Amino acid sequence: MVEQSLRIQSLIDHLYSEDPRVEAERAVLITESYKETENQPMVIRRAKALEKILENMNLVIRPDELIVGNLTTAPRGTQIFPEFSNQWLEDEFDRIEKRTGDVFRISEEVKRDLSEAFKYWGGRTTNELATELMAPETLDAMQAGVFTVGNYYFNGVGHISVDYRKVLQVGLKGIREEAQEALQSLDYGDPESISKSHFLEALIISVNAVCKYAKRLADIADQAANETHGAKRKEELQQIARNCRRVPEYPAEGFYEALQSFWIIQAVIQIESNGHSISPMRFDQYIYPFYQKDVEKGSMTEVEAQELLDCLWVKFNDVNKIRDEASTKAFGGYPMFQNLIVGGQTTKGMDATNPLSFACLEASAHTKLPQPSLSIRIWNKTPESLLNKAGEVSRLGLGVPAYYSDEVIIPALENRGISLEDARDYGIIGCVEPQVGGKTEGWHDAAFFNIPKVLEITLNNGYNDGKRIGLQTGKIEDFKNYQELEDAFRKQMKYFVKLLINADNSVDIAHMERAPLPFLSAMVDNCIVEGKTVQEGGAKYNFTGPQGVGIANAGDSLMAIKQIVFEDKEMTLSELKQVLDSNFGREESKPASSANIDLNHLDVANLTSESLVDLLKGLLNQETQPVQTPTTVDTAKDGENIRQLLINRVPKFGNDIDDIDYLVRDVALIYCEEVQRYRNPRGGTFQPGLYPVSANVSCGLDTKASADGRYAGTPLADGVSPTSGRDQNGPTAALNSVAKLDHHIASNGTLLNQKFHPSALAGEEGLSNLSALVRGYFDQKGMHVQFNVISREILKKAQKNPEKYKNLVVRVAGYSAHFVSLDKTIQEDIIARTELKF
């Protein structure tokens, strides 16, 4: 094991010396550029905007850095991207520093600069265009919390991995020459040649701008070297300058140059657009030849190589973005989801493990930081030594690595039309989303679809808070048996999935028209050949991947209704609904009505002619939900007893009980089979996923009490995990339940969280148990699993005394974050997860 160098802790201390800050520099520069390029093709405007930003932004080399390239002046700062959305930020200026999670500092000067820049963008953002494109019914469903497409609705898309290998092998110079050749070979009699030429010209502008950015870094490194008195640091800065004068414009010649080239690409992608989940993916494969050349052949020691790698790991954590306050409850902890994966197999089906695979795991152990989101691919020929090394890192309590099964993911991708060779080369984007690097525009995290909310609306005959937003599939008193209820639920699911598709495609078109990304597209296969950006469908593979959330809650609820209402006849469905409406007796139950006008309290004496006209119009347009027949349940008295009946009498998902496990499987399939029927504007298909990031918390806020015994407003189940506390038969039983789901159809990813007390993984026996657990789960065709190895007591102490636990990193969902930076609702969700022991 290579020890951590003293430099690494110094870099970490500098990075986390203060709260991150909002900066206005990029917003001001892109606004100036757009004003200068009015009436030019949008893709050209985007390229020139990137050029202006890279030529004028403030560049810094942080103390002791060996890998350079900043996105902001302040460590972990955030730039602003007004072309996607901006009104929400201005509305929240005075709350940014007072948030309960993801706090940012913002000066009055920055507020003024941003407000001035935002004046230009009214009517020009992707967010505004997407809103105009959506159907009214879609907007109603979003407002009700049935689904959210906020990820790309307010921000850039991201969720991609470019062809880093190509950049390292041919440099940006080689890519530029390829574009120039394609431009020269265009047939100007072809009507598409006009748009193709614009894209290729924009690509060349962008690539040249990045080469100049690297040389600017070289210049400031030289300047710093001239001003430095220490001989060692002077030599380091001179080497940094030499690196940046060569890469990424030219092919990398060694390990150090490869890391520097990689980082400049990684940084500029996120300067061009604020889409997160820009994922390195199979880093140990495309960087290994450079590692092998230098380390194994003796021109660099293993210790020197590990220090450079550790420096890069710290640098990943310098990337940040600001989200609206509501989104911090779904994406808490400043996450950027830069997923880096090791292991697995080669494109020819051989084991891909190499020394760099181990060094990457070591880097995460050394730095103990949230980024990168480290993952590992497992198949039947994965060496036990690599799995044991992963286990050693897991029991550090960082929530990494996440474990993925080649045996499920490769055929799942083939089923979506991806070739076997490409499928074998998959990596993970963001949280848990499989993708072929450098060839795919996957649009993962395209939406979060609240499945328990749809069941709630079904029980209300298409109404939500008195307003009809769904289909009228039947009054609850008219359902004669469970099957009729399930049929109604299926109809509502199909209806709302169609609205979800409308929302996603609207946002997709908005990005295509207003935010093409020529630099990103330069490094994605087929874009140059097709003469299209990835936003226009230029990638080899095109998908849209929305996520279903809360399958355990929906399945457990349906099982409770089936058993308690229709089989055991403990109560009627109307009586159960009355209990749910009262939040199990915690709130007064009121009949729902969609009327916006309260006729019982209408002030007739003061009614004017104008208001009378408005009243008549309202009465003509409104639809009133019929008042339900009164029931005999005393909710205040019986509510909690009924809740306990629902929890304890009915089997729950996660305990290896076939009846409920297969019902949850069916709920997931209803969603997945409906989603995959649709196509997107880029010529690709929709593919479903089953993971929430941490949107299970925010989706729970929009969902009333459910028949699984869940209180209103509390979190939904996390991913495909059982509901917290309901899996009582141990970790193996929970895995057996989750493995019964059809993970192959959920090709956009499934997420399973497990939490272990540290004692469960102690010693060699603990590592052996963890290895057996992972392999056993994957043998049953589970797709993914990740572990929090930390005690509930430590989490509670960190919540009470955050200053003492500033460095505590935990697994949130498909990512890790500093626990104390999370909103309290997310902290509580993590604490509540079942703590397992073998």
Side-chain angles (χ1 to χ4, degrees):
M1 177 184 290
V2 178
E3 297 296 323
Q4 181 201 67
S5 75
L6 295 176
R7 180 194 307 272
I8 302 307
Q9 191 58 52
S10 173
L11 290 173
I12 294 171
D13 290 344
H14 177 73
L15 195 62
Y16 287 91
S17 59
E18 60 181 46
D19 286 333
R21 294 182 177 274
V22 176
E23 298 184 6
E25 186 177 51
R26 184 194 178 278
V28 171
L29 289 170
I30 194 172
T31 304
E32 290 176 359
S33 178
Y34 265 56
K35 289 178 179 178
E36 295 163 358
T37 58
E38 294 281 6
N39 300 321
Q40 294 185 27
M42 182 56 74
V43 71
I44 297 289
R45 300 181 75 189
R46 296 291 295 172
K48 290 184 176 180
L50 179 63
E51 180 181 47
K52 188 176 186 74
I53 293 164
L54 295 180
E55 287 182 352
N56 293 278
M57 67 180 288
N58 186 38
L59 299 187
V60 296
I61 295 178
R62 310 206 191 284
D64 292 326
E65 280 192 325
L66 297 179
I67 307 292
V68 301
N70 60 293
L71 290 77
T72 55
T73 301
R76 297 193 302 138
T78 180
Q79 297 285 4
I80 301 302
F81 297 71
E83 66 268 37
F84 300 113
S85 65
N86 52 71
Q87 188 58 55
W88 64 267
L89 179 58
E90 192 161 15
D91 292 343
E92 295 183 13
F93 274 165
D94 295 331
R95 300 202 304 275
I96 290 170
E97 297 188 3
K98 302 173 184 176
R99 292 175 169 184
T100 56
D102 289 24
V103 173
F104 286 86
R105 302 301 175 197
I106 182 168
S107 70
E108 293 302 317
E109 180 183 4
V110 167
K111 291 179 185 178
R112 287 193 297 270
D113 289 344
L114 289 175
S115 292
E116 184 61 33
F118 292 168
K119 291 176 183 177
Y120 171 81
W121 293 98
R124 292 181 166 96
T125 65
T126 57
N127 171 254
E128 289 162 302
L129 178 57
T131 303
E132 290 298 320
L133 295 173
M134 290 181 195
E137 295 87 346
T138 299
L139 294 169
D140 286 344
M142 289 172 59
Q143 180 66 32
V146 179
F147 55 82
T148 173
V149 294
N151 217 354
Y152 309 152
Y153 194 34
F154 296 108
N155 303 290
V157 176
H159 291 79
I160 198 166
S161 183
V162 299
D163 195 346
Y164 298 100
R165 180 185 281 109
K166 183 177 181 179
V167 177
L168 297 173
Q169 291 177 345
V170 307
L172 293 180
K173 177 178 180 290
I175 293 173
R176 178 175 58 214
E177 290 170 350
E178 184 183 350
Q180 288 169 336
E181 291 175 8
L183 186 61
Q184 291 168 4
S185 65
L186 286 177
D187 177 3
Y188 288 102
D190 178 2
E192 291 189 356
S193 67
I194 299 171
S195 59
K196 288 180 179 180
S197 67
H198 292 157
F199 162 62
L200 295 169
E201 289 167 7
L203 185 156
I204 293 166
I205 292 170
S206 301
V207 164
N208 287 338
V210 176
C211 294
K212 291 176 183 176
Y213 167 83
K215 289 179 172 58
R216 287 188 65 208
L217 286 169
D219 289 342
I220 67 167
D222 274 334
Q223 180 181 348
N226 293 334
E227 297 170 355
T228 299
H229 299 295
K232 181 182 179 183
R233 185 56 180 164
K234 181 183 289 287
E235 182 181 340
E236 289 173 352
L237 289 164
Q238 289 171 341
Q239 183 59 57
I240 288 170
R242 288 193 292 272
N243 290 345
C244 292
R245 294 201 190 284
R246 288 208 73 260
V247 296
E249 183 169 11
Y250 300 99
E253 292 185 342
F255 184 62
Y256 193 176
E257 282 190 2
L259 296 185
Q260 181 62 71
S261 181
F262 163 83
W263 179 252
I264 289 176
I265 298 302
Q266 185 74 0
V268 174
I269 289 172
Q270 292 169 106
I271 293 171
E272 184 181 34
S273 166
N274 72 339
H276 56 255
S277 299
I278 309 302
S279 295
M281 297 223 305
R282 304 202 76 186
F283 185 88
D284 68 332
Q285 302 303 300
Y286 56 79
I287 296 289
Y288 179 62
F290 303 96
Y291 180 92
Q292 184 180 37
K293 176 183 176 182
D294 286 356
V295 176
E296 295 189 5
K297 296 185 178 179
S299 59
M300 179 181 289
T301 68
E302 186 179 331
V303 172
E304 291 169 335
Q306 188 68 57
E307 182 182 48
L308 286 172
L309 200 61
D310 293 355
C311 285
L312 178 62
W313 255 235
V314 176
K315 199 69 178 164
F316 279 117
N317 293 272
D318 205 0
V319 182
N320 209 348
K321 72 184 286 186
I322 187 168
R323 299 171 173 87
D324 63 279
E325 189 171 13
S327 293
T328 64
K329 300 181 187 304
F331 300 95
Y334 307 106
M336 289 306 294
F337 309 97
Q338 298 168 94
N339 208 304
L340 186 152
I341 198 164
V342 301
Q345 54 193 285
T346 68
T347 58
K348 302 301 181 184
M350 305 295 288
D351 185 63
T353 306
N354 62 48
L356 188 57
S357 309
F358 290 87
C360 289
L361 288 162
E362 194 68 48
S364 287
H366 283 174
T367 56
K368 296 181 175 62
L369 293 172
Q371 295 292 305
S373 294
L374 186 67
S375 302
I376 180 172
R377 285 175 51 174
I378 305 295
W379 68 312
N380 62 352
K381 294 185 179 179
T382 295
E384 197 65 18
S385 58
L386 183 66
L387 194 49
N388 282 338
K389 181 64 178 178
E392 290 175 1
V393 178
S394 287
R395 66 185 182 185
L396 293 175
L398 306 170
V400 296
Y403 298 74
Y404 296 86
S405 170
D406 279 12
E407 316 291 350
V408 171
I409 292 175
I410 291 172
L413 293 177
E414 283 188 280
N415 186 48
R416 298 296 176 199
I418 293 173
S419 70
L420 174 60
E421 187 169 292
D422 282 347
R424 284 173 172 163
D425 202 31
Y426 83 88
I428 298 297
I429 291 292
C431 287
V432 294
E433 307 98 277
Q435 182 183 112
V436 182
K439 298 181 179 182
T440 310
E441 172 69 330
W443 254 64
H444 314 282
D445 276 8
F448 298 101
F449 186 91
N450 189 340
I451 297 175
K453 184 69 178 181
V454 177
L455 179 56
E456 175 191 310
I457 292 169
T458 305
L459 293 175
N460 284 281
N461 195 19
Y463 286 83
N464 178 72
D465 288 336
K467 180 178 181 179
R468 186 163 74 85
I469 63 167
L471 303 177
Q472 290 187 288
T473 49
K475 302 174 185 177
I476 54 173
E477 59 264 31
D478 292 339
F479 291 129
K480 300 180 182 65
N481 53 55
Y482 169 77
Q483 190 58 52
E484 289 185 358
L485 172 63
E486 184 180 301
D487 290 344
F489 173 63
R490 287 176 179 272
K491 290 176 183 177
Q492 297 286 3
M493 285 287 289
K494 290 183 178 182
Y495 175 74
F496 284 114
V497 165
K498 184 177 291 188
L499 297 184
L500 164 66
I501 302 302
N502 175 254
D504 269 340
N505 285 344
S506 297
V507 179
D508 205 332
I509 292 169
H511 280 273
M512 184 188 301
E513 293 189 11
R514 292 190 173 176
L517 304 176
F519 179 65
L520 176 76
S521 303
M523 299 167 290
V524 176
D525 197 20
N526 273 24
C527 284
I528 293 177
V529 173
E530 295 291 330
K532 296 178 179 179
T533 64
V534 291
Q535 289 69 40
E536 299 168 295
K540 182 176 181 180
Y541 302 115
N542 288 279
F543 298 103
T544 301
Q547 280 58 263
V549 180
I551 59 170
N553 302 99
D556 285 349
S557 294
L558 286 168
M559 176 59 77
I561 294 170
K562 181 180 181 182
Q563 180 175 318
I564 298 297
V565 173
F566 292 108
E567 293 177 357
D568 297 346
K569 301 187 185 303
E570 295 274 356
M571 65 184 70
T572 67
L573 190 53
S574 295
E575 289 171 333
L576 175 58
K577 183 179 178 299
Q578 184 184 15
V579 173
L580 299 181
D581 288 344
S582 74
N583 196 17
F584 299 105
R586 289 186 166 193
E587 302 166 16
E588 183 182 354
S589 179
K590 297 179 181 179
S593 171
S594 67
N596 296 317
I597 302 164
D598 186 354
L599 296 177
N600 294 320
H601 296 87
L602 186 63
D603 187 0
V604 180
N606 294 315
L607 201 61
T608 66
S609 58
E610 291 82 1
S611 57
L612 178 60
V613 171
D614 291 338
L615 171 62
L616 293 174
K617 287 180 178 178
L619 289 172
L620 288 171
N621 291 326
Q622 73 182 20
E623 296 177 68
T624 304
Q625 182 179 1
V627 176
Q628 303 296 338
T629 304
T631 60
T632 58
V633 175
D634 184 342
T635 56
K637 177 181 177 182
D638 300 329
E640 184 58 27
N641 290 334
I642 291 172
R643 178 173 175 268
Q644 293 303 321
L645 176 71
L646 295 169
I647 292 173
N648 297 308
R649 176 80 66 82
V650 185
K652 296 293 183 290
F653 180 65
N655 296 289
D656 198 13
I657 301 170
D658 281 351
D659 284 351
I660 178 58
D661 293 347
Y662 285 116
L663 179 52
V664 172
R665 174 189 169 98
D666 287 344
V667 168
L669 285 173
I670 292 170
Y671 174 74
C672 292
E673 289 174 349
E674 191 61 24
V675 166
Q676 69 180 7
R677 293 179 51 234
Y678 293 95
R679 299 187 65 82
N680 63 39
R682 287 168 282 113
T685 58
F686 276 74
Q687 60 169 344
L690 297 170
Y691 63 94
V693 189
S694 46
N696 61 303
V697 176
S698 55
C699 285
L701 290 172
D702 288 322
T703 309
K704 295 178 182 177
S706 45
D708 59 342
R710 183 193 135 270
Y711 286 121
T714 58
L716 302 181
D718 175 33
V720 294
S721 307
T723 300
S724 296
R726 305 294 163 80
D727 50 332
Q728 299 180 344
N729 290 346
T732 302
L735 291 175
N736 288 343
S737 288
V738 177
K740 294 171 191 173
L741 303 174
D742 187 345
H743 294 265
H744 291 87
I745 193 174
S747 54
N748 198 53
T750 66
L751 184 149
L752 171 60
N753 264 315
Q754 288 201 317
K755 185 169 75 175
F756 282 98
H757 191 280
S759 62
L761 302 185
E764 290 302 314
E765 182 180 2
L767 287 180
S768 177
N769 287 340
L770 184 65
S771 174
L773 190 75
V774 171
R775 289 194 187 274
Y777 175 55
F778 287 167
D779 283 346
Q780 295 184 81
K781 299 299 180 276
M783 179 185 284
H784 157 274
V785 64
Q786 59 197 27
F787 306 101
N788 255 328
V789 185
I790 191 165
S791 70
R792 183 175 284 113
E793 289 74 20
I794 291 294
L795 294 176
K796 288 182 176 179
K797 287 179 180 178
Q799 198 176 49
K800 291 180 180 178
N801 301 288
E803 289 300 316
K804 294 182 179 180
Y805 294 88
K806 290 192 293 185
N807 297 323
L808 178 62
V809 175
V810 298
R811 195 72 174 181
V812 182
Y815 67 98
S816 292
H818 284 101
F819 182 76
V820 299
S821 72
L822 299 169
D823 184 89
K824 189 175 181 180
T825 55
I826 300 177
Q827 291 180 349
E828 292 290 351
D829 184 48
I830 295 170
I831 292 171
R833 292 173 189 167
T834 306
E835 189 171 86
L836 300 168
K837 295 183 180 180
F838 286 107

